[in-house]
Amino acid sequence: MKYLKQFVVGSSWLVVVQSLYMAAYRRPNKNWSYEKYSLIAPVWFGLWNVISLVIAGHFGLTMRMRFLVVSIMSYIGILAIAKGFKAYNFTQEQWNEYYSYMFIKYIITWNIIVYYIEKNFN
């Protein structure tokens, strides 16, 4: 049951809304559809939240450390997917901006949004 709770928290509206907004209105030169993304994004965050709980349990991480670790791991994962599947037609400068934006987004998403949802609804 604890894994289901983690999945629900990770896939909640508060967690994915900024990703869906940016995907719909702020990502030009994309090679994917918003419809597919809107189905995949909640699953992505939900699964990573479950994975973070498993990692934290295995290594005895605190909640803060858990979310710091998952923010870095999921950030690397999304960059690998974006580059590997050629998700965008970006120049090198645009890729660099994307890297920076995604890093900030993932740090905020995991270490502020998900952290406080977990902390207050635990």
Side-chain angles (χ1 to χ4, degrees), residues 2-3 50-62 65-66 69 73:
K2 66 181 178 178
Y3 297 119
V50 171
I51 291 167
S52 74
L53 183 66
V54 171
I55 291 171
H58 183 71
F59 291 105
L61 302 177
T62 64
M65 185 58 80
R66 168 188 164 196
V69 167
M73 290 176 65

Side-chain angles (χ1 to χ4, degrees), residues 17 24-25 49 51 76 82 90 97 120:
V17 68
Y25 299 109
N49 203 29
I51 291 167
I76 291 169
F90 284 166
E97 289 173 13
N120 292 316

Side-chain angles (χ1 to χ4, degrees), residues 27-45:
R27 284 286 163 230
N29 306 325
K30 59 187 175 201
N31 296 325
W32 44 267
S33 73
Y34 176 78
E35 292 77 16
K36 288 180 184 176
Y37 181 82
S38 66
L39 294 173
I40 293 170
V43 174
W44 173 263
F45 284 104

